[in-house]
Amino acid sequence: MTNRLDQPRTLDLVGNPIHIGGIATGFEATLEYRIGDGHHQLTGTFTAGGGTGEHGQFHIAVDIGHTTFQADRLLVQVFEASARDGGDINVVTVPVIYGPRIVPGYYGYREHTVVKGDTLSAIAKSSYGDASLYSRIVRANPAQISDPDKIVPGQVLRIPIGS
């Protein structure tokens, strides 16, 4: 059996619930999911496929609002339990960024294309009214920002938005 995750993608900025979607192949597969931050995890099961070996699309929404996750980064995994020994097989793992740990009341993000003269502090001041909150932007963009003092024109940054 082959599993594929189309949603979320690597380092997507996600909220609650986390939507997990993709394709599984096989004979009416019972799949499992695991979402965790390295200390705590949430698990569950779902089915994909129609019973005749075709590719089965799946989409689930997992409510993680009641979890005790403390980290910005979570791992979303979809896998099967081996019939032989119960171990994890056909595991697909996607690291994501959990917006509610970055911005209170997180409900989404907007994109900002960096122009000459931009600084993270200035973008934070414009977005949040407080230049010192630039770390929110850094945390939401780990693949884009390795040094907060070095952003370049043309970079597209995610600006997490909350209430």
Side-chain angles (χ1 to χ4, degrees):
M1 175 142 181
T2 303
N3 301 323
R4 184 180 87 203
L5 275 181
D6 297 323
Q7 179 182 344
R9 292 181 302 247
T10 299
L11 297 178
D12 267 354
L13 188 56
V14 301
N16 183 44
I18 293 181
H19 293 270
I20 304 171
I23 295 177
T25 59
F27 184 79
E28 219 172 71
T30 298
L31 300 175
E32 299 186 36
Y33 65 83
R34 179 172 38 234
I35 302 170
D37 67 354
H39 301 285
H40 305 281
Q41 65 181 13
L42 179 66
T43 61
T45 62
F46 62 97
T47 59
T52 57
E54 71 279 353
H55 286 68
Q57 295 178 338
F58 61 87
H59 176 260
I60 60 172
V62 181
D63 178 5
I64 64 169
H66 61 282
T67 62
T68 56
F69 297 146
Q70 297 300 310
D72 299 347
R73 295 185 191 196
L74 304 176
L75 292 179
V76 175
Q77 295 181 310
V78 171
F79 57 96
E80 301 162 69
S82 168
R84 183 174 49 231
D85 63 11
D88 300 350
I89 58 171
N90 300 319
V91 179
V92 181
T93 303
V94 176
V96 298
I97 308 302
Y98 188 43
R101 290 288 171 260
I102 298 173
V103 176
Y106 174 83
Y107 59 82
Y109 66 90
R110 66 178 176 79
E111 292 183 339
H112 175 86
T113 302
V114 175
V115 297
K116 185 175 181 172
D118 270 349
T119 65
L120 289 176
S121 295
I123 297 167
K125 175 80 172 159
S126 172
S127 299
Y128 306 120
D130 184 345
S132 70
L133 296 177
Y134 73 91
S135 66
R136 291 178 173 179
I137 301 167
V138 173
R139 290 164 56 196
N141 294 278
Q144 292 284 335
I145 302 172
S146 58
D147 180 345
D149 293 324
K150 295 181 183 176
I151 58 174
V152 296
Q155 276 182 303
V156 179
L157 303 177
R158 299 173 299 193
I159 311 300
I161 305 299
S163 52

